[in-house]
Amino acid sequence: MRRPTPELGRLPVIPAARSPAAFAVNMTATALRGAAESGPAAFVKPPRRTGRDFMPCNFRPSASGVSHLAPSIDSNRTTRTCVSYSSHGTGTAVRLKDRNKELDILDSACAEALSGRTRTVLLEGAAGCGKTAILAIAAERAAAQAVVLRAEGTEAESGRPLGVLRQLLDNTPAGYGRPELPDPEDGPPRAESMRKFCTWLRDFAAATPAVCFIDDLHHADELSLQYLRYFIRHVRTERILLVATATPHHGSANSSLQSELLHSPSFQRVRLRRLSRLGVAQVLDAEPELPRHYHHLVEDLHNVSGGNPLLVRALLEDWRAVWPEVSEPRPLQPVTGGLFAHAVDTCLRRSGRAAREVAAAFSILGSLGTPERAAELHGTTVSAAARGMAALTDAGILDGCGFRHPAARTAVLNELTSAQQAGLHRRVARLLHDTGQHTKAVTGHLLASAQADIPWSETPWAADLLRNRAEQLLARDEPRQAAAALELALEACADARIRIDITTRLATVLWRFDPRGAEGLLTAPLDNRRADALTGPQLGAVAHVLAYQGRVAEAARINDHIASTANATDDTGLHLPELSGSRVLTSYWDVPDATDRSAATAAERVLEQAVLTDTTVHALNQAIRALSHSPQPERAAHWSQRLADEAERRGAPGWQALFATLHAEVLLRLGDLRGAELRASAALDVLPEPTAGSFASAPMAVLIRTHTMTGEHAAAADRLNRPAEDQLFDSIHGPGYLRARGLYYLATDQLHLALSDFTEAGRLLKRWDLDRPVVLPWRTDAAEALLRAGESQQAERLIHHQLASPDARHPWVRGISLRMRARTAPQEERPALLGQAIEELRRSGDRIELAGALADLGRTLQSLGENSRGNTVTRRAWNLAHACGAKPLCEETIPGRAPRDLTRERTLIPADTAIDSKLSSSEQRVAALAAHGYTNREISLRLYITVSTVEQHLTKVYRKLKITRRQDLPMDLPLASVEAP
């Protein structure tokens, strides 16, 4: 056979974003362009054939007879070289080897057919191994001395009767005529029709040799296969060559044709194998721009692709796309969604349904994949699954029962929808559960099957497994995964009572990272409770969780229900002593009595010993609340900060928000307005829904109060303009929010609205048996509103009631109560009352209330004619309010005075005077207290030194700072740094 002179075709790089279909079509079109540019040529057979270069792409021969691939000869070698190609611009060249034997067989078969002996060749190989490309080369060569008839089987047209046969006839040149084919609707073809077709084919071959090429024979329709079987049996001495390609293990209907071929003496089967490591190395040799040190890629290329030529090429293209510069060695890594993924999908589609089902099954089963499990998973036979597995192994995608590379598994999974994956996971879970093994794997597949459209009734055991898995995940501190397991268990469970237990547990777990979700979860159990669907212990568990969440009104209703049911049925089993009455509320949200000196010690012991878990978080919450109302509230600040940091490290934003809010509340109580604002903002920032749910109102209330106290009324109004949810006022956080709103109304002279909020907060606390002034002093708040409205008698009654409460022994409660009491007392009694209030508030650590009491005392002294002492106290109040950032209180204390105004009244200290370097630490402490209005006696008590020592220190301070009086002390001496020596 005369061979045309080969030329080089060029193929551009295919972008990784193309779809699998576009990938194959692009390769085909580019091959056609390369062949058209090459033009006609003649084959030249060198004297010695030692190797061939082969292009491993699934190029389809066109129906027009145009050459697809242009062969070429390397003048520097003695080997015959088939197609090579390179990408425009990047210089990528891919020329694959190991195809000498196959081409020799086709050459020999063609020669025998031209001599008058009909020959049939079946070219078999896994998807991606280059069957179509070899067919294209053979067609190119045969076109010089024979008429080439082409046909292509496709899965989409496999059901079209006589489709392949009509394609062959459509390529018949004009003047040869065409046999008339029967109507497929008339039923199976008769022997007469097939005999006429063979007669026509003999006459055609007598005039000119005929070469028939059928690509993807496994997709041929049944009627065409019948004609081909008849041809093989009856045509043996004509100048006809039939070459077909097929994918082994495809499982299509052409098995009968292959059986017929085996009985034919003119038949020869050719198997295309994957490339060896040497073949892959030769591919890299064909890369002219690739440095020699890049041959480290050979092993990786072969390991990932298995030697499949299509996968090798795709990997190289992906590698080039990621590393366009090749000056240094780079690792081989398949690109997600790149050409390698498209090539894998192409191989799967061309390997048949059984192969696709096995690939999907193994992608889900992982290391537990077997043909038996794959067959059961898809409802097919084991032999079909084994056939699909063999096809994927031949294609280099599988290695045993697993994928050769994770990127191949990812490519398979990406072709499945989320619902398909979920359905497979559910079926795998059921399959593995039936074996009684792999419990951990079963739960993992159940968790991945959330979107499956399969009734849970098929897996009634799933809920128990998922609940156990959730506890294991919690033990490993993985709350989000545990919550997912419980949510799925809730969906899988059909028993209403068990669903309540799951819901209660889920609400506890969910609180770690989604308080809003946890709050909304228990609405259904309450509805069920009304329908008497819950047992006493279940109701008690729900009440516990509701109380933890602060939903005290709902918890109280459940307690009432438990009590009424127990009384009505005389069932002692319903009595829960730890939940009787309203103790379920006070045990969670109450604080120790002011006279209980051991409470703070016990609380700190809990904080030191307990580990933060779902079962201890509420005990830790109680401990911090106890400390915040103790004589040492700063200890609560330390522990709340520490626990908030731990919650952040452990990825528990719900806990983080809880402890950050506690920290903000403590800082607000201590007068650190800026710190309180930052911590409350941090609490809101970590919540998934920062403005939703009753819990979010706790940090919101802190922010409203800080904005109000710093004079940022617009910011406070902005937060108040956001509508509060109805359930807020059934929550423990409702009264705090009402107080914050009332204080804003009070600061903006909306006295009636303020009074309404204060009294409503008191009503709620009374109803829940939580009316503790140490928690929320609504009476003094209401008294202030009444006093400003001129209702002094009502205000006095509220103040006396608060002073008569047990909490009045607490320094903070007594201090704010005495301050309000002084406003209703005669002028001459006020200094004594305010002096007591100041002493109590100083002990409590509340600097804002202390500054307010000092301001009241300064004004009282001035009104009594003690101007010097009054001015000193007033300046001390102003300094303290200014240090806290309470601008409205500063303005109320000394109207119209800014910090710079007070500084201007003093003897100016030179700017280059370094106070810290001039004064000793003891002198700094004394000077700071004196600058903030403390008397020498108070300074001596505060620092545990004598009055004489105070006077000596002040004398030295005056001399070093070159001032002559107390009023000239600099205002920037920090009071917070004052410690006893």
Side-chain angles (χ1 to χ4, degrees):
M1 181 185 300
R2 184 171 58 88
R3 299 176 177 85
T5 302
E7 296 181 8
L8 182 66
R10 299 181 67 82
L11 183 68
V13 176
I14 304 171
R18 299 287 176 88
S19 65
F23 173 57
V25 171
N26 187 297
M27 289 194 299
T28 303
T30 307
L32 287 169
R33 286 199 305 272
E37 292 171 1
S38 300
F43 282 91
V44 178
K45 184 175 180 179
R48 183 168 175 241
R49 303 171 187 170
T50 60
R52 285 186 174 86
D53 294 346
F54 169 62
M55 181 177 179
C57 301
N58 290 320
F59 295 147
R60 301 292 181 182
S62 71
S64 62
V66 179
S67 301
H68 281 225
L69 301 171
S72 64
I73 287 185
D74 188 341
S75 60
N76 296 325
R77 300 187 182 184
T78 59
T79 60
R80 181 170 55 188
T81 302
C82 293
V83 180
S84 67
Y85 63 90
S86 63
S87 64
H88 294 291
T90 63
T92 301
V94 178
R95 296 185 293 181
L96 300 184
K97 316 292 180 178
D98 294 347
R99 295 299 182 252
N100 289 321
K101 181 179 178 180
E102 293 81 2
L103 290 175
D104 285 342
I105 292 173
L106 290 177
D107 287 346
S108 177
C110 187
E112 292 185 24
L114 291 176
S115 67
R117 296 176 57 190
T118 301
R119 295 300 306 273
T120 303
V121 179
L122 180 63
L123 191 63
E124 284 190 319
C129 286
K131 304 181 297 296
T132 302
I134 285 188
L135 204 66
I137 295 171
E140 182 79 18
R141 297 175 178 178
Q145 298 186 25
V147 174
V148 176
L149 306 180
R150 308 169 189 268
E152 174 188 351
T154 63
E155 188 172 11
E157 297 184 358
S158 59
R160 180 184 178 188
L162 297 175
V164 169
L165 200 62
R166 292 184 188 279
Q167 287 186 54
L168 289 173
L169 295 178
D170 287 343
N171 286 311
T172 305
Y176 287 91
R178 290 178 55 179
E180 184 177 352
L181 298 178
D183 189 343
E185 295 184 358
D186 295 339
R190 298 179 179 180
E192 181 180 357
S193 298
M194 292 185 285
R195 184 169 55 253
K196 289 182 179 179
F197 172 76
C198 288
T199 299
W200 174 86
L201 196 57
R202 288 191 183 96
D203 294 341
F204 184 92
T208 181
V211 181
C212 302
F213 293 103
I214 303 177
D215 200 9
D216 286 348
L217 183 65
H218 47 273
H219 288 313
D221 61 279
E222 177 57 32
L223 289 183
S224 295
L225 291 176
Q226 291 187 35
Y227 273 81
L228 292 177
R229 284 195 293 270
Y230 191 91
F231 162 79
I232 292 168
R233 286 195 301 266
H234 296 88
V235 180
R236 297 187 178 181
T237 58
E238 305 299 334
R239 294 188 298 171
I240 301 174
L241 171 63
L242 173 62
V243 181
T245 68
T247 299
H249 317 296
H250 194 278
S252 54
N254 68 345
S255 56
S256 59
L257 175 62
Q258 297 201 34
S259 299
E260 191 70 40
L261 289 172
L262 292 175
H263 292 88
S264 173
S266 63
F267 169 69
Q268 187 168 8
R269 185 191 304 271
V270 179
R271 290 297 302 270
L272 281 180
R273 307 290 180 181
R274 288 177 278 123
L275 296 175
S276 64
R277 282 178 172 78
L278 177 60
V280 174
Q282 291 172 334
V283 171
L284 293 180
D285 283 340
E287 292 281 342
E289 298 180 7
L290 195 65
R292 292 301 176 185
H293 61 261
Y294 272 83
H295 285 185
H296 72 282
L297 294 175
V298 171
E299 193 69 21
D300 290 342
L301 277 171
H302 191 270
N303 289 340
V304 175
S305 68
N308 184 309
L310 181 62
L311 300 184
V312 170
R313 179 210 171 175
L315 284 169
L316 279 174
E317 294 291 347
D318 281 345
W319 180 81
R320 278 294 184 89
V322 175
W323 304 110
E325 300 294 335
V326 294
S327 58
E328 298 179 0
R330 301 292 186 182
L332 180 71
Q333 183 63 42
V335 178
T336 301
L339 288 182
F340 179 77
H342 295 329
V344 170
D345 181 60
T346 298
C347 291
L348 290 176
R349 289 186 290 104
R350 294 182 179 176
S351 296
R353 177 178 178 179
R356 293 195 295 271
E357 290 179 344
V358 168
F362 282 14
S363 69
I364 301 297
L365 283 163
S367 60
L368 300 177
T370 63
E372 293 76 15
R373 286 174 177 154
E376 186 172 354
L377 192 61
H378 288 285
T380 61
T381 63
V382 176
S383 61
R387 187 173 63 249
M389 182 176 169
L392 295 178
T393 301
D394 285 353
I397 294 175
L398 291 184
D399 184 8
C401 291
F403 288 91
R404 184 176 290 276
H405 192 274
R409 176 178 180 269
T410 301
V412 174
L413 288 174
N414 287 342
E415 292 302 314
L416 299 173
T417 65
S418 298
Q420 288 173 330
Q421 291 187 37
L424 286 172
H425 278 293
R426 182 74 60 79
R427 292 199 291 271
V428 167
R430 184 175 56 193
L431 185 155
L432 295 178
H433 180 266
D434 291 344
T435 66
Q437 301 175 345
H438 311 294
T439 302
K440 183 177 179 181
V442 170
T443 54
H445 287 294
L446 286 174
L447 288 171
S449 70
Q451 299 182 27
D453 189 18
I454 299 175
W456 283 104
S457 57
E458 298 182 9
T459 54
W461 39 264
D464 289 339
L465 278 181
L466 290 166
R467 291 176 71 184
N468 293 335
R469 180 60 175 165
E471 297 305 322
Q472 295 171 2
L473 290 168
L474 285 174
R476 287 160 39 185
D477 207 18
E478 299 179 15
R480 294 181 185 272
Q481 293 85 338
L486 289 171
E487 287 173 347
L488 206 58
L490 186 64
E491 182 181 339
C493 183
D495 189 313
R497 295 183 182 273
I498 297 177
R499 286 174 60 85
I500 298 304
D501 295 335
I502 297 173
T503 301
T504 305
R505 183 61 173 143
L506 177 57
T508 302
V509 175
L510 206 58
W511 188 264
R512 284 201 194 190
F513 54 89
D514 186 7
R516 169 59 172 166
E519 289 176 0
L521 199 61
L522 289 178
T523 301
L526 293 179
D527 294 338
N528 289 336
R529 190 266 299 166
R530 297 186 187 99
D532 296 325
L534 306 185
T535 64
Q538 285 180 320
L539 285 170
V542 172
H544 271 289
V545 176
L546 290 174
Y548 289 157
Q549 295 180 357
R551 296 160 70 179
V552 289
E554 295 167 276
R557 287 197 294 269
I558 289 182
N559 284 345
D560 294 340
H561 180 80
I562 294 174
S564 62
T565 304
N567 294 332
T569 61
D570 197 24
D571 184 358
T572 57
L574 290 176
H575 286 290
L576 300 173
E578 70 273 18
L579 298 178
S580 60
S582 56
R583 290 302 303 161
V584 67
L585 311 180
T586 57
S587 62
Y588 296 143
W589 299 102
D590 206 356
V591 295
D593 190 89
T595 60
D596 187 359
R597 299 184 179 274
S598 64
T601 303
E604 195 140 21
R605 187 180 303 114
V606 169
L607 292 166
E608 290 172 349
Q609 297 177 355
V611 178
L612 181 58
T613 65
D614 292 303
T615 56
T616 63
V617 62
H618 303 292
L620 294 170
N621 176 22
Q622 289 173 293
I624 290 177
R625 285 171 54 80
L627 274 182
S628 66
H629 297 93
S630 73
Q632 293 181 303
E634 64 277 0
R635 296 300 299 159
H638 163 75
W639 283 107
S640 55
Q641 174 71 68
R642 182 171 174 177
L643 287 170
D645 292 344
E646 181 180 350
E648 182 179 10
R649 287 194 302 271
R650 293 172 58 182
W655 288 353
Q656 183 182 350
L658 171 65
F659 293 114
T661 300
L662 288 173
H663 191 197
E665 291 173 347
V666 174
L667 294 177
L668 184 60
R669 173 69 68 87
L670 294 173
D672 185 356
L673 300 183
R674 178 58 177 164
E677 180 183 356
L678 292 175
R679 297 308 296 160
S681 297
L684 287 177
D685 289 343
V686 299
L687 291 175
E689 298 179 78
T691 61
S694 59
F695 172 74
S697 65
M700 186 74 73
V702 174
L703 286 174
I704 293 170
R705 288 180 61 189
T706 57
H707 291 326
T708 301
M709 299 169 94
T710 56
E712 299 171 350
H713 294 160
D718 179 64
R719 296 191 180 275
L720 286 169
N721 286 335
R722 303 169 189 177
E725 298 189 7
D726 294 337
Q727 64 267 29
L728 169 61
F729 303 108
D730 285 337
S731 161
I732 192 65
H733 308 296
Y737 181 86
L738 287 170
R739 186 189 185 213
R741 191 170 68 182
L743 291 173
Y744 165 77
Y745 288 148
L746 192 63
T748 54
D749 295 324
Q750 302 178 69
L751 303 181
H752 292 291
L753 291 176
L755 184 62
S756 175
D757 278 349
F758 295 146
T759 54
E760 177 62 15
R763 186 187 67 81
L764 292 175
L765 292 172
K766 287 179 181 179
R767 190 178 74 181
W768 300 333
D769 196 22
L770 280 172
D771 186 10
R772 298 285 306 278
V774 73
V775 176
L776 197 151
W778 66 272
R779 289 179 179 85
T780 47
D781 295 333
E784 184 172 0
L786 288 168
L787 285 172
R788 290 173 58 178
E791 301 289 340
S792 59
Q793 291 184 352
Q794 294 185 45
E796 192 169 359
R797 283 197 297 269
L798 289 174
I799 296 167
H800 280 299
H801 192 286
Q802 185 158 297
L803 282 170
S805 69
D807 279 352
R809 290 171 290 186
H810 192 286
W812 183 69
V813 175
R814 186 165 181 80
I816 60 176
S817 301
L818 288 173
R819 181 190 173 199
M820 285 297 108
R821 173 72 181 86
R823 292 188 181 184
T824 64
Q827 191 81 357
E828 62 275 8
E829 296 179 10
R830 292 180 184 179
L833 291 172
L834 289 172
Q836 295 178 49
I838 289 169
E839 186 60 31
E840 296 291 346
L841 291 171
R842 184 179 295 146
R843 287 174 54 202
S844 73
D846 190 335
R847 295 190 296 160
I848 297 290
E849 286 291 342
L850 176 59
L854 286 169
D856 290 348
L857 178 59
R859 283 191 293 270
T860 300
L861 292 174
Q862 289 170 348
S863 66
L864 293 174
E866 299 184 33
N867 291 331
S868 177
R869 186 181 172 200
N871 291 340
T872 300
V873 174
T874 299
R875 188 165 68 90
R876 178 179 169 190
W878 193 97
N879 287 341
L880 191 55
H882 175 66
C884 295
K887 295 179 182 178
L889 183 55
C890 288
E891 178 64 21
E892 180 185 348
T893 303
I894 306 179
R897 293 293 182 90
R900 60 180 180 274
D901 297 327
L902 291 184
T903 303
R904 199 177 297 120
E905 291 180 358
R906 300 170 177 222
T907 302
L908 296 179
I909 300 175
D912 59 349
T913 301
I915 297 176
D916 291 345
S917 63
K918 283 181 171 294
L919 302 182
S920 68
S921 58
S922 298
E923 292 167 352
Q924 286 186 43
R925 284 192 291 269
V926 171
L929 290 171
H932 284 80
Y934 284 78
T935 66
N936 289 357
R937 178 66 177 168
E938 290 172 335
I939 295 173
S940 69
L941 294 174
R942 179 73 178 268
L943 300 181
Y944 303 102
I945 57 178
T946 65
V947 175
S948 176
T949 304
V950 173
E951 294 171 348
Q952 293 174 22
H953 283 317
L954 285 175
T955 300
K956 294 177 181 178
V957 169
Y958 294 164
R959 185 177 65 251
K960 291 180 179 180
L961 298 183
K962 299 179 181 180
I963 60 177
T964 59
R965 57 180 182 167
R966 206 182 194 93
Q967 288 80 359
D968 295 333
L969 286 169
M971 295 181 61
D972 55 354
L973 291 172
L975 184 62
S977 65
V978 174
E979 300 276 347

